[in-house]
Structure formats: C-alpha cells, structure tokens
Amino acid sequence: MSESKPAVLRLDRLLANMGYGSRREVQGLVRAGAVTLDGAVVGDADMKLAITPALSERMRVQGAPLDPPPGFVILLHKPLGVTCSHKDTGPLVYSLLPPRWRSREPAVSTVGRLDKETSGLLLLTDDGDLLHRIISPRKKVSKRYRATLARPLNGEEDALFAGGELLLEGDDKPVAPAVLEPLGEREAWLTVTEGRYHLVRRMFAAVGNHVEALHRDRIGALDLPDDLEPGRLRRLTDADVARIFA
Ligand code: URA
C-alpha cells in the first residue's frame, strides 16, 4: 500500500515471511516445481522479486494463488463475541483469518480495536506505517457507530458531544467534537475521531444512558459492505484505502 518503490525480496525469504514454511521448506517447494510465476515453473528460490499486489495473481504455490503480498489491508466484519487481542482467552479475531496468516512476518494486526461486544467494520494490516496513520489522533479519521440505547435520547446529547468539552471519568482531556444523528428514540449514529477505550459506551454513560448494542459501519468514507456477512473478510484496493482518509 506504500507509494514508494516496491521492496525487492528473494523468493524463499518472501514465502517464508508469508508463512509458507521455513526457508528450507520453501526451497523444497521450489525444487518440487510447486511455485509458478506467470504460468512458468520457478526454478530458482534465490530469484529476486519486486513486491507488488499483482504478485497474488501472477504467482501460484501448489496450484493456489499466492496469499496477499506484504503491505495489505483487509476489512473484516467483526462478529459479536470475539476479542481483538492476540492473547485473551476465548475466541479471538485472529482465529477468523486463514491459519497461514498467523505466522506472517511482519504480523497482521488489527487497526485499533472493537470491544468483544461490538460488531462491524474492523481493519487489519501488516503495514505498520499505514496502521499508525489511521489511528493517529492528528489524522482525525472518523469512525461511525450505530448505538442502541437503554433509554430514550433526551435531546441534549448532540450539543454536548459536539462541544468538545465533555470530560470522561478518568481522562485528562475532553472528547474531541463528535456528531450525533438520532435514528429513533433509542437509536443513533455517533461519529467520533478518537480511538479511546470504550469511548462510545462511556460517552453515553456520561449522559445517563447505557449502550445496549454497538456496531461500527464506517471508517472515513469506507463503508462496511452490506453483502459481507459477520466473520467474513475482504481485501482492500488502493482506492478503498484512500477512502479511509477521504
Ligand atoms: N467505543 C466503544 O465503546 N466500543 C467500541 O468497541 C468502539 C468504540
């Protein structure tokens, strides 16, 4: 996803970093004729390759298209009940990824987190620079949540949330201005630009309400696709990634 010149890696290093096995095992795959590039068997595990997204169409390993090359971003429809952590007990979002992706180097990480009981749009990437750009408070990337509330809205929340002066318990800085769009008596979209712990739940708690259900459907101008079922993922194109910052 970076716009600079593509990195160049030896084939055995590339495939080992992508979780296809140790370098020795990858050399074995190449010797066995299991790796092809543009339809021709690759004979040399030392060959140097420019890492571009097109490699996943050009290269096959044991007959299957190559996994996404380094520098990729995926969008996951996070289901309820899974945790955005590498080490928590209980189901983890990482268990929803293809098993080989769990041994990639650099590792695939979530871009920020959603609570265990929040569903919706979650990004994952192996591109550390991009990850930091998305979560950096300076970039003010917006995140939209649909909140279902225990009690009716009282009509004062939008001014309070938009004012930029709401100080949450335990925090030393007020919440950056956020936009509330009521959808019903007990339902609203809330768009925030920060990624603080339990932010949306704590904002509604600060006005005497309680979030019963929370779902994120948009980051920047990138929407969770309607046809993507919970637990399913989709690889983003460069144009999709640009939408995050739009
Ligand atoms: N705010 C919350 O309270 N929870 C989330 O998962 C995301 C934002």
Side-chain angles (χ1 to χ4, degrees):
M1 284 295 156
S2 121
E3 282 149 30
S4 47
K5 258 185 30 200
V8 173
L9 273 187
R10 279 169 54 130
L11 174 63
D12 53 358
R13 165 60 63 208
L14 172 70
L15 295 188
N17 288 358
M18 289 173 66
Y20 283 92
S22 64
R23 269 169 90 168
R24 191 177 285 259
E25 285 164 341
V26 168
Q27 286 159 6
L29 283 174
V30 171
R31 265 198 311 278
V35 182
T36 61
L37 183 64
D38 300 327
V41 170
V42 174
D44 182 4
D46 292 357
M47 82 177 286
K48 297 252 175 36
L49 281 166
I51 314 303
T52 65
L55 264 187
S56 47
E57 281 108 61
R58 298 178 56 207
M59 183 165 277
R60 289 184 164 259
V61 181
Q62 292 176 313
L66 185 71
D67 291 345
F72 76 112
V73 190
I74 58 161
L75 180 162
L76 170 73
H77 185 164
K78 179 192 170 295
L80 294 173
V82 297
T83 306
C84 295
S85 154
H86 279 290
K87 31 181 194 289
D88 225 52
T89 51
L92 308 180
V93 290
Y94 296 101
S95 66
L96 300 169
L97 306 180
R100 188 164 46 231
W101 290 19
R102 279 178 251 153
S103 23
R104 287 179 66 120
E105 187 56 51
V108 180
S109 303
T110 64
V111 178
R113 291 181 175 197
L114 288 177
D115 301 336
K116 186 172 181 185
E117 293 313 327
T118 302
S119 57
L121 198 175
L122 181 70
L123 299 174
L124 295 106
T125 185
D126 63 347
D127 182 337
D129 290 343
L130 178 69
L131 187 153
H132 288 294
R133 274 196 290 133
I134 300 173
I135 64 174
S136 162
R138 278 181 294 119
K139 296 281 177 193
K140 295 195 168 67
V141 171
S142 64
K143 285 143 274 218
R144 189 173 78 170
Y145 295 87
R146 187 178 183 124
T148 308
L149 304 166
R151 288 174 274 285
L153 292 159
N154 64 22
E156 288 169 13
E157 300 88 348
D158 47 352
L160 191 64
F161 292 168
E165 287 177 11
L166 174 66
L167 191 60
L168 299 175
E169 216 178 300
D171 287 1
D172 52 10
K173 262 195 358 206
V175 178
V179 178
L180 182 91
E181 297 167 84
L183 292 164
E185 257 207 329
R186 295 193 303 111
E187 194 147 44
W189 273 318
L190 181 61
T191 303
V192 299
T193 59
E194 297 175 284
R196 295 188 206 184
Y197 178 69
H198 282 180
L199 179 59
V200 174
R201 293 176 201 275
R202 290 161 68 220
M203 287 171 74
F204 280 108
V207 293
N209 215 323
H210 174 76
V211 171
E212 290 192 325
L214 194 59
H215 177 80
R216 180 159 73 189
D217 70 345
R218 183 178 288 172
I219 296 183
L222 180 72
D223 285 320
L224 179 67
D226 287 338
D227 60 351
L228 193 67
E229 298 290 323
R232 309 292 298 200
L233 40 100
R234 187 166 291 174
R235 193 165 152 201
L236 296 190
T237 62
D238 285 354
D240 294 325
V241 173
R243 252 177 237 128
I244 296 169
F245 298 101

